[in-house]
Amino acid sequence: GQYYPLAFSTSYAPMPNGMDPQEERTLVELGQVFGFPRSPADLSAGIGRDWPDARGAFILEGAESDGQTVVWINQADHLRLRCFVAGGQMELAYDALQGLADRIEKAVKDSKGTGFARHADFGYLTTDSLHMGAGVQFSAAVQLRHLHSRPEFRPLCALLNLVETYRDGCTELSSYPAPNLTSEELLRQTLQSLRFLVSLEKKLVDDVAIEEDLQALGII
């Protein structure tokens, strides 16, 4: 793979001025590289301090063209691993990232004698409380045109432990923080919730009422 230091970063000797600014903008648009933090919360927490030094993204070999697996360095946490898989194969993305995380942690242990920082009760040490516990978040972009237009959609997502956003004509659904769950348990919960929503959307497409499903959950 290849490491892409942010533009104007001077901390990586092979690219002493970082990547080309235009290349950075392109990679940011593709979701492969992160941009400068904008939110007041991030800035007040010091995430933008000394920007862009020691920050960049490692794009794994074979993923440069499709951005399937990337590692963000010092965006907020020291490491953030991201994997994009088309076709709803969330288990495949998880297996790829878990294998990568295991290899990175082994290399750190071999070099430094210790692995990733964990707390017995709160899980991985991160800068964001939303990632407490397993330190993982699952997201899926799905077409839920009929279901998304209903007033029950948002409370339904909350009940199913999903956070919903709408962008580019798709509904993006992400797992809600669950410090008491392992990453495997969170994956199973997320997949179950997503499949349920898709089943409701299919009913609406076929002009089948979903009121009984919503009543069973106490939504209406």
Side-chain angles (χ1 to χ4, degrees), residues 193-212:
S193 297
L194 290 171
R195 287 165 180 158
F196 179 68
L197 292 178
V198 170
S199 72
L200 294 183
E201 176 68 13
K202 288 181 177 178
K203 286 185 177 181
L204 292 173
V205 170
D206 294 335
D207 203 24
V208 177
I210 63 170
E211 277 67 26
E212 288 188 5

Side-chain angles (χ1 to χ4, degrees), residues 20-53:
D20 179 79
Q22 180 57 51
E23 183 178 26
E24 178 179 294
R25 286 191 290 271
T26 299
L27 292 176
V28 168
E29 291 173 1
L30 292 173
Q32 296 177 337
V33 171
F34 51 91
F36 183 78
R38 302 292 181 185
S39 76
D42 286 344
L43 293 173
S44 63
I47 291 176
R49 188 179 299 128
D50 297 323
W51 198 276
D53 252 12

Side-chain angles (χ1 to χ4, degrees), residues 3-188:
Y3 178 62
Y4 294 83
L6 295 189
F8 309 113
S9 170
T10 60
S11 54
Y12 184 58
M15 298 177 67
N17 295 310
M19 74 176 97
D20 179 79
Q22 180 57 51
E23 183 178 26
E24 178 179 294
R25 286 191 290 271
T26 299
L27 292 176
V28 168
E29 291 173 1
L30 292 173
Q32 296 177 337
V33 171
F34 51 91
F36 183 78
R38 302 292 181 185
S39 76
D42 286 344
L43 293 173
S44 63
I47 291 176
R49 188 179 299 128
D50 297 323
W51 198 276
D53 252 12
R55 294 172 171 90
F58 187 88
I59 302 179
L60 269 67
E61 186 174 349
E64 284 86 346
S65 59
D66 59 16
Q68 187 177 30
T69 304
V70 299
V71 181
W72 285 1
I73 312 297
N74 293 329
Q75 178 245 1
D77 291 308
H78 290 148
L79 288 177
R80 183 177 181 185
L81 282 60
R82 294 163 59 87
C83 185
F84 308 89
V85 178
Q89 302 179 79
M90 194 172 286
E91 298 100 327
L92 183 62
Y94 171 73
D95 289 342
L97 286 186
Q98 187 60 59
L100 178 59
D102 289 344
R103 293 194 299 273
I104 292 174
E105 184 165 30
K106 181 180 184 304
V108 173
K109 283 183 177 179
D110 291 345
S111 173
K112 303 296 183 181
T114 184
F116 299 143
R118 292 185 183 88
H119 187 277
D121 297 321
F122 303 121
Y124 286 102
L125 176 64
T126 75
T127 59
D128 190 341
S129 60
L130 290 178
H131 299 150
M132 283 176 55
V136 64
Q137 184 178 49
F138 299 101
S139 298
V142 292
Q143 293 279 359
L144 298 172
R145 183 169 58 88
H146 296 78
L147 190 59
H148 187 273
S149 64
R150 295 182 62 110
E152 304 94 348
F153 181 66
R154 181 163 292 183
L156 177 60
C157 288
L159 183 66
L160 296 173
N161 297 307
L162 295 172
V163 179
E164 57 90 16
T165 55
Y166 189 75
R167 64 183 67 177
D168 300 327
C170 284
T171 302
E172 186 172 302
L173 297 162
S174 301
S175 57
Y176 197 76
N180 58 321
L181 298 181
T182 66
S183 55
E184 291 84 0
E185 290 168 339
L186 183 59
L187 173 61
R188 287 194 293 269

